[in-house]
């Protein structure tokens, strides 16, 4: 039985063209004296010729047209997919840009509470920030979602987002008009989405270039 | 031919969709036939062959130009067919047993030489029987037997197509031949 299995192994290697010359001789001598192996070998060869006799099949008519039609239908989808694949840098930049914009949008829309930059001597009344008379505020002043009254002095730029600068308190009368505070820098008032974005972009670029 | 196909693929990669229809036209019979032999029926064969060409088109950028396109295409078609066989519902096998009806689709497409009507019928019976016996093999043996003896690829080419080691191809082809020998012994 063991020789029989070994011979079958040789038969398969013969069929794959992997047999060395001496192995070929061993197989042939064995086949001459073993009828069962002869049958096995014959059956294997016959199986192969039966397999090879199976004829060719052709694709249905319009096969190519159908494939091309399917490609056409999903063409746009493929186009985008392939475009993104071939331009990874632009895709990454676009995604980054979208995140940045939506981030700025959320910042603009999301916060409705009053935000004031950290400085001493500021008085907060409701949604109004007051720089009291005779007080000098050092550095840039930022007020978000609130109004600003300057009676004193600001030593720097002033930015007001979603609010306005009130330089005239009607209840106090004419007398105080003269003493309206001083801004020793630029005054920016940002109220609209576009301006807010512009302001964001400007400060981003300033930030980048200051490096 | 190989050179012409390479040129066409370059054009397709640049975005020329029309060039792809020449590629499909050139390989359609081979790939359809391969799927048919793997799956055993015309309907699934057409679905999978179409899908193979579509996948190849969508992923054309990942195709390495230094390799043979046909090898890559056969690999996609074989994997899709094997996936389809695995996903078949059990009741599908009951349908598949009744080969007589949809078998006609296929045998009507076979090119025939002049023979007497009786020979013709016997010949058809035999070929149908052989096809049926092949489709009874487990997919991993089936794909190798089909590629080797029906489509006449070398063992090395089969190893490339299926992306498995040459030794594994040989082991499987031995087992596949033995299984078919037992099945076809009485023919």
């Amino acid at each position: 039985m063991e020789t029989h299995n070994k011979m079958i192994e040789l038969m398969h290697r013969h069929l794959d063209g992997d047999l060395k010359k001496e192995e070929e001789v061993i197989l042939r001598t064995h086949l001459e004296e073993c009828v069962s192996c002869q049958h096995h070998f014959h059956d294997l060869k016959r199986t192969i010729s039966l397999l090879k006799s199976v004829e060719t099949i052709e694709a249905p008519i319009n096969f190519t047209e159908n494939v091309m039609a399917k490609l056409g239908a999903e063409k746009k989808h493929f186009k985008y997919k392939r475009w993104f694949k071939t331009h990874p840098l632009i895709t990454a930049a676009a995604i980054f840009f979208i995140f940045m914009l939506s981030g700025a949008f959320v910042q603009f829309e999301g916060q409705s509470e009053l935000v004031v930059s950290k400085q001493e001597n500021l008085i907060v009344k409701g949604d109004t920030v007051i720089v009291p008379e005779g007080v000098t505020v050092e550095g840039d002043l930022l007020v978000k979602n609130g109004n600003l009254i300057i009676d004193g002095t600001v030593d720097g730029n002033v930015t007001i987002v979603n609010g306005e600068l009130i330089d005239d308190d009607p209840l106090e009368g004419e007398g105080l008009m003269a003493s309206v505070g001083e801004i020793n820098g630029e005054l920016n008032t940002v109220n609209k989405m576009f301006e807010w974005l512009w302001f964001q972009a400007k400060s981003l670029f300033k930030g980048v270039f200051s490096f | 031919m190989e050179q012409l196909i390479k040129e066409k693929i370059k054009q397709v990669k640049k975005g020329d969709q029309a060039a792809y229809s020449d590629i499909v036209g050139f390989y359609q019979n081979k790939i359809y036939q391969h799927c048919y032999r793997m799956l055993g029926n015309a309907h699934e064969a057409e679905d999978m062959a179409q899908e193979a060409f579509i996948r190849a088109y969508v992923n054309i950028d990942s195709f390495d130009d230094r390799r043979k396109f046909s090898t890559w295409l056969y690999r996609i078609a074989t994997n899709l067919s094997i996936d389809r066989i695995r996903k078949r519902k059990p009741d599908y096998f009951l349908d598949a047993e009744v080969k007589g009806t949809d078998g006609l689709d296929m045998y009507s497409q076979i090119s025939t030489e002049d023979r007497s009507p009786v020979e013709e019928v016997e010949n058809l019976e035999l070929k149908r029987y052989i096809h049926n016996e092949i489709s009874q093999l487990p997919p991993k043996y089936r794909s190798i037997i089909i590629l080797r003896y029906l489509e006449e690829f070398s063992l090395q080419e089969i190893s490339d197509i299926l992306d498995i080691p040459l030794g594994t191809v040989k082991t499987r082809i031995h087992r596949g031949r033995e299984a078919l020998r037992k099945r076809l012994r009485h023919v």
Side-chain angles (χ1 to χ4, degrees):
Chain A
M1 200 59 205
E2 213 172 275
T3 26
H4 191 72
N5 282 343
K6 197 174 176 298
M7 287 305 140
I8 291 173
E9 174 68 25
L10 287 183
M11 285 175 208
H12 282 288
R13 286 178 48 209
H14 167 83
L15 293 172
D16 293 339
D18 281 346
L19 226 48
K20 291 178 200 135
K21 268 203 176 141
E22 54 267 34
E23 289 171 318
E24 199 84 48
V25 175
I26 294 169
L27 179 62
R28 205 179 306 148
T29 350
H30 180 78
L31 285 176
E32 274 166 17
E33 57 202 30
C34 175
V35 185
S36 105
C37 276
Q38 265 176 37
H39 279 300
H40 197 109
F41 193 47
H42 175 259
D43 285 348
L44 276 176
K45 283 190 158 179
R46 194 166 156 275
T47 302
I48 291 168
S49 57
L50 279 175
L51 288 176
K52 284 186 173 176
S53 76
V54 172
E55 276 164 306
T56 54
I57 304 157
E58 280 176 14
I61 325 157
N62 295 332
F63 183 87
T64 303
E65 286 80 354
N66 290 340
V67 170
M68 295 313 287
K70 279 195 178 176
L71 286 183
E74 290 168 72
K75 202 171 155 189
K76 268 191 182 162
H77 171 73
F78 295 146
K79 258 193 184 166
Y80 290 135
K81 206 178 151 191
R82 288 181 56 187
W83 192 89
F84 286 142
K85 267 188 183 172
T86 47
H87 302 86
L89 213 64
I90 299 173
T91 309
I95 290 171
F96 174 75
F97 200 66
I98 289 166
F99 274 123
M100 208 193 76
L101 281 184
S102 57
F105 185 76
V106 166
Q107 264 187 315
F108 185 78
E109 291 287 300
Q111 299 172 349
S112 57
E113 74 230 53
L114 179 70
V115 178
V116 193
S117 55
K118 259 190 192 168
Q119 261 117 355
E120 282 177 37
N121 306 326
L122 291 173
I123 297 170
V124 180
K125 267 188 190 168
D127 62 347
T128 309
V129 179
I130 303 169
V131 180
E133 220 178 322
V135 169
T136 306
V137 175
E138 305 270 340
D140 297 347
L141 181 62
L142 173 75
V143 177
K144 269 190 202 172
N145 307 312
N147 299 328
L148 178 66
I149 299 172
I150 301 176
D151 291 332
T153 315
V154 177
D155 238 351
N157 299 329
V158 173
T159 307
I160 304 167
V161 181
N162 259 354
E164 55 190 37
L165 180 71
I166 304 170
D167 54 2
D168 183 18
D169 196 335
L171 289 175
E172 300 285 331
E174 293 280 310
L176 282 170
M177 275 292 281
S179 65
V180 157
E182 237 183 291
I183 303 168
N184 299 326
E186 275 177 53
L187 169 69
N188 285 312
T189 312
V190 183
N191 271 329
K192 286 177 187 156
M193 189 63 206
F194 177 76
E195 287 175 21
W196 169 239
L197 285 179
W198 178 240
F199 173 71
Q200 282 277 335
K202 259 203 320 203
S203 53
L204 179 77
F205 280 117
K206 267 186 197 163
V208 168
F209 286 119
S210 66
F211 278 111
Chain B
M1 201 62 225
E2 196 64 26
Q3 198 53 43
L4 187 73
I5 293 294
K6 274 197 172 135
E7 282 303 314
K8 293 281 177 200
I9 289 164
K10 264 185 200 163
Q11 287 171 16
V12 175
K13 279 191 176 180
K14 280 179 195 156
D16 180 1
Q17 205 187 31
Y20 195 64
S21 78
D22 295 333
I23 295 175
V24 180
F26 184 71
Y27 288 112
Q28 59 171 358
N29 287 341
K30 287 180 178 173
I31 294 300
Y32 175 80
Q33 172 169 269
H34 183 67
C35 291
Y36 195 117
R37 286 164 172 170
M38 285 296 293
L39 295 159
N41 72 79
H43 180 71
E44 281 185 304
E46 187 169 0
D47 272 2
M48 289 302 104
Q50 281 192 3
E51 185 63 24
F53 282 111
I54 291 168
R55 294 260 176 116
Y57 179 79
V58 175
N59 298 304
I60 196 84
D61 288 316
S62 67
F63 169 67
D64 181 354
D65 294 325
R66 289 163 298 180
R67 310 196 66 176
K68 262 179 108 176
F69 183 72
S70 59
T71 304
W72 192 62
L73 200 53
Y74 268 101
R75 180 187 299 177
I76 296 173
T78 309
N79 289 341
L80 282 171
S81 301
I82 291 177
D83 274 356
R84 171 57 70 97
I85 294 165
R86 288 199 184 126
K87 279 180 196 156
R88 275 179 186 160
K89 289 170 191 152
D91 64 278
Y92 188 84
F93 286 110
L94 295 176
D95 295 345
E97 291 292 311
V98 195
K99 284 266 170 188
T101 44
D102 63 1
L104 275 177
D105 294 340
M106 160 201 163
Y107 290 104
S108 54
Q109 288 172 35
I110 286 176
S111 54
T112 47
E113 293 148 37
D114 288 332
R115 292 193 199 90
S116 77
V118 178
E119 270 180 324
E120 191 82 7
V121 171
E122 282 174 352
N123 203 25
L124 276 182
E125 287 292 322
L126 177 64
K127 287 183 197 314
R128 192 173 301 166
Y129 184 77
I130 294 169
H131 250 288
N132 193 38
E133 290 305 313
I134 294 170
S135 65
Q136 300 293 316
L137 288 176
K140 62 179 181 180
Y141 299 117
R142 194 188 315 174
S143 55
I144 290 180
I145 289 288
I146 290 170
L147 287 167
R148 181 74 188 99
Y149 292 114
L150 281 67
E151 285 147 18
E152 304 193 316
F153 283 98
S154 71
L155 294 175
Q156 184 56 55
E157 283 171 318
I158 295 171
S159 153
D160 291 340
I161 289 171
L162 300 175
D163 201 20
I164 52 177
L166 189 58
T168 311
V169 174
K170 284 179 183 172
T171 315
R172 288 188 187 169
I173 209 162
H174 292 191
R175 292 192 187 146
R177 273 193 298 243
E178 280 300 326
L180 281 172
R181 182 190 65 89
K182 283 175 195 147
R183 288 171 178 279
L184 296 175
R185 195 163 34 181
H186 311 295
V187 176

